[in-house]
Amino acid sequence: MEELIHELKSKIVDVLNLITIEPESIDAEAQLVGGALGLDSIDVLELVMMIEKDYGLKIDNKELGVKVFATLRTLAEYIHQNRSENCS
Amino acid sequence: MIRPRVFVTSLGIISPIGADVSQTVEALKNSASGLVPLTLFPSTVDSNPPAGEVSFPISGDISRTHSFALAAAREAMSKADGTPDAIVLGVTTGGMPASESLLKNNCTDPAKYSYHGIGTVAHYVADALGCHGPVLTVSTACSSSMVAIKLACGLLTSGKARRVLVGGADGLCRLTYYGFNSLQLVDPSGARPFDSERHGMSVGEGAAMLLLEASHVPPVGAMAEVLGVGLTCDAFHPAAPHPEGAGAFQAMKKAFADAGCTAKDIDYVNLHGTGTPDNDLVEAKAVRAIFDTNELPLLSSIKGASGHTLGAAGAINAAISVLCIENGLVPANTGCCNPDPALCLTPVSTPQRKPISFVLSNAFGFGGNNASIVLGAPAQTSSFRPCRDKSSAFSVLGSSCLSGAGNLAQTLAALRSASGLSGTVPTQALMEGLDEGTVRRLKRLPRLVLALAIAAGKTAETSAQPDAVFFGTGWGGLSETSDFLAQLFSSGERFASPTDFMNSVHNAPAGHAAIHLQAKGANITLTDGDYSFEQSLFSAGLIEHAAGEAFMVIGADEYHEKLTPLFDASAAAAAIPSDGGGGLLLQLSSESTGLRIAPLFISNDPVPELTLQHLLTVLGGPGAIDKKYGAVFAGIPSAYRFQGRQQLDLFVKAARCLCPIIDYRHVTGEFASASALAAVIALESVKQGALFAGLCREGAVGLHGQGVLLLGFGPCITAVEILG
């Protein structure tokens, strides 16, 4: 799990071009959207695409999205529990 | 003097619910839906959502957008004699339906992309109709063609035209279809505006054209009167509406003020109502706020039947509002079975027949761009409205530029040392004043525009807060468009970036500038290749500005390695790739002193002798030109060098012009909005009373207190004066 969190930190910084943020400085327990990183709904959709591409998981409704993108840890847990064996 | 009124005397419409006016009226009476399974290209979206696809034969290299526009224009002109004096269209995709297929197949023949430019749609219509006057193209996403109506009214009420064909067109394409899907804004079951189960829009296509005429009394056959149009910008978010609908509320309020009416006068509200959770929620809030909540008029959105026709939506809504007035008809809000109780708004469920005198209609778009219109039955009498000031000279409060040499100071230094400005804007100059974190989602063009807006504000002596923003761009955000399509095609049309899509609309940079400047007035992006900046300056003169209120006019284009050479023939032929632009902070000029700029002339005339004669008259005749101007800056895009050179020679001869002629593209480099950079250089020349050494062979020629005339040649002829 910690490895996945580490991996996601880099991917988030990369995908969202968070040029001023050090990946390791992202707090896995902190609010992901509307928090210190300055992410909004468009960033979430960009991450939705990355998760489908890299982990084969679709997050295509708002209710699920709110749960999954609560924190970096909830995102990692969702990926960990649901990802198919073929992707990764 | 009494300001002329604006009447709708004819219509043309093609949309998923009908291929002409009579089919549209029948569909509205029967609440018929035009949403169908997509056939234009195979959808890779799992749910394969229905779309508002129009069944229409398309031939040759032109796109669906062009075909729809011409079909609607021909219908609108079928009952009218002669040609319109001007054409104003709102378009967002332009030639993209054809271009994206070419790009998918890696076609590298620039000739195949000659109809790509968004402005080519209006010129295609103008050529077919023989319209020789101004041809303007607004591109403000889904509000485009309602914004176009505002500009058309400006042309008519200021006396610049007596008859204007105005409208909008957009063709369905992968860019919009997958773009809105990537934003999760498409309802898999088809749009259900204001329904509690709504999940988004249905992407659609079509066109509508309205023939508008200026007159003091209703002309024979008048169908409706355009009473007022209100434009605002949320200045809040590039794609999401303001959560309380603040901008939408203000747009409706401005439309009422412009119309001289109140909410109580409105019989029917033709809503934007796309079916997305956010739009409908916010529009409902704004509508409830502007009307007495207990006394809402009849309301409906047609997008559950037509889909969201994007750039055409505003004109289609306006045209349908006219048909409602003419036919005493209120269309149903197709698709809405259970009105969302959270909205406290119950749209009309079945078509109704009843007399309708006043309609309010909305069109909102990306960039927080809001437009509202009030249309009325053509009454014999109307309340007195003062004539608009016909002059549109602007005082220059601040200016900025970006060139291959860098920022304004670096550009002027290069001009003084007689070195050219060709080249792309250096990163350091581009990022000066921009915060890396804030602009992380912005690619090259929005960064250029933001940098220009910030720098122009800084040079102003007074801290003037701009209200409106006018932006001209030849090609829009090419990086975003290219990256979006590249990812889409490389993934077998499975993945597309929502950020790139949101920023691919031509008005995205102006929207970002508005957020930064908190500019909540009209926010208008114009696009027409090499004449985009001139169109934006000209349009600034068609909108009311309160006394002392500042506004921003920006022209900018980015160089994109892959797309620029395909789309822009002048840039493709240049030895050095170039980009950049200019920004101006202006206000209406009340005095004839101080640094000022005025758009004087814009024409689409293919007969240069006639156009140049007209231009000479506007400039005050041959003698007046040498008296007023110390230099002429001539913009001749290299793709039109032969034609442009001929036009310039004709002008110089007819004007008996002896002052230095600066063929400025040799200095600025070749890019669509080079004229914006040239305008700023002209301002600086007038300010210092001499031309820069880098501009002409004779060196730093004195201007002796005279101004500069900035001319544009080629398929359009434009004139802008800069006086000190």
Side-chain angles (χ1 to χ4, degrees), chain B residues 466-539:
Chain B
D467 181 60
V469 176
F470 301 86
F471 171 49
T473 179
W475 306 104
L478 294 176
S479 297
E480 291 83 352
T481 305
S482 180
D483 291 351
F484 179 92
L485 292 176
Q487 186 174 35
L488 183 69
F489 295 145
S490 68
S491 66
E493 303 191 10
R494 284 177 59 232
F495 298 115
S497 161
T499 310
D500 282 337
F501 176 61
M502 162 184 95
N503 282 330
S504 73
V505 292
H506 275 37
N507 65 312
H512 290 293
I515 293 170
H516 180 83
L517 300 166
Q518 280 302 291
K520 295 183 180 174
N523 190 295
I524 309 185
T525 294
L526 290 114
T527 180
D528 188 12
D530 300 304
Y531 312 95
S532 305
F533 168 70
E534 286 88 337
Q535 288 202 6
S536 67
L537 194 63
F538 189 75
S539 298

Side-chain angles (χ1 to χ4, degrees), chain B residues 434-448:
Chain B
L434 300 185
D435 172 65
E436 286 271 13
T438 312
V439 300
R440 68 180 168 87
R441 284 205 298 223
L442 309 189
K443 294 185 175 173
R444 190 165 180 84
L445 185 64
R447 287 184 181 203
L448 282 168

